[in-house]
Amino acid sequence: KHLQDAGQELQQLRHQKQQRNLKNNGTNKNEQKSNNNRTGRLRALICPHAGYSYSGPTAACSYYELQRELSFLLSSSSSSTTATTTMMIRHIVVLHPSHHYYLPSQCAISNAHTIETPIGNLCIDDELRQQVLLLSSSSSSSSKNLTFATLEQSVDENEHSSELQYPFLAHVLKVTTGTTTSIPILPIMCGNLS
């Protein structure tokens, strides 16, 4: 049911965007100007996680920046004769709060291998997950107060703050790279970190 609702709400957001584009005759001078004046690389997005009808347009603006970044990197690497993989985004980490599960001084990493969305499945970054868990459990870790655990499936599935991000990610990946599995993601639920 959540996936079906997400699919319907994303369709409504797409329709609203198309209407705005038609109203602007498909051109937005500020958007064109900002594409040409790139001064830095996108490092992080902060997105709301209320229902799509409440915060969907704001989240869409954030994910639009990711889409622009990926498009820019792909066009730069295809036009360059010395394209390197270091230019590309290799991981997407989704940090999200825990609304229903108490995590004292720790974070919990999804134990899933794929995440289903109405647009297509996202693949989990198993390698990065193992590296984070290994770093957390090693005695040489510099942060003794912060630990990482793996999430139980039921806890993972009941948290909406991450669930609302996945269709946006799937859409951006599919539009820019042609597939929803091109860049692996790692969802991390954050507990009390103060």
Side-chain angles (χ1 to χ4, degrees):
K1 176 147 174 38
H2 292 293
L3 289 177
Q4 189 176 25
D5 291 346
Q8 290 170 350
E9 292 185 35
L10 280 174
Q11 284 294 93
Q12 290 172 346
L13 290 172
R14 279 194 206 117
H15 178 71
Q16 290 170 1
K17 181 181 175 189
Q18 288 171 347
Q19 294 303 314
R20 282 193 304 273
N21 284 343
L22 288 175
K23 192 181 285 186
N24 295 333
N25 293 326
T27 61
N28 182 334
K29 291 179 182 172
N30 290 334
E31 180 179 306
Q32 291 172 352
K33 185 178 179 183
S34 66
N35 277 333
N36 294 333
N37 294 331
R38 298 188 66 81
T39 58
R41 299 270 314 273
L42 180 69
R43 299 289 183 201
L45 298 175
I46 298 176
C47 301
H49 62 269
Y52 291 118
S53 60
Y54 299 104
S55 65
T58 303
C61 288
S62 292
Y63 283 103
Y64 176 72
E65 292 302 316
L66 176 60
Q67 183 174 327
R68 283 184 53 229
E69 179 76 6
L70 285 171
S71 296
F72 174 77
L73 291 172
L74 287 169
S75 67
S76 296
S77 67
S78 65
S79 64
S80 171
T81 56
T82 59
T84 63
T85 57
T86 57
M87 282 188 66
M88 276 306 295
I89 296 171
R90 294 174 292 175
H91 313 278
I92 296 175
V93 177
V94 179
L95 299 172
H96 60 91
S98 173
H99 288 94
H100 306 289
Y101 187 73
Y102 181 64
L103 293 167
S105 299
Q106 70 177 20
C107 295
I109 300 176
S110 176
N111 207 25
H113 295 284
T114 59
I115 294 174
E116 295 177 7
T117 78
I119 297 163
N121 291 347
L122 296 167
C123 68
I124 298 294
D125 197 330
D126 291 323
E127 184 180 330
L128 183 58
R129 173 178 41 215
Q130 292 307 316
Q131 289 175 2
V132 170
L133 290 171
L134 184 63
L135 181 66
S136 173
S137 66
S138 75
S139 59
S140 63
S141 178
S142 62
S143 178
K144 301 292 183 196
N145 296 331
L146 180 62
T147 59
F148 288 84
T150 54
L151 275 175
E152 296 175 21
Q153 183 177 352
S154 62
V155 174
D156 198 3
E157 290 176 348
N158 287 328
E159 183 52 58
H160 74 277
S161 64
S162 57
E163 181 180 55
L164 292 169
Q165 307 306 317
Y166 302 143
F168 285 110
L169 280 169
H171 172 75
V172 166
L173 292 175
K174 191 167 191 170
V175 166
T176 55
T177 67
T179 177
T180 59
T181 59
S182 55
I183 302 173
I185 68 167
L186 184 62
I188 300 177
M189 181 185 288
C190 300
N192 183 5
L193 302 177
S194 58

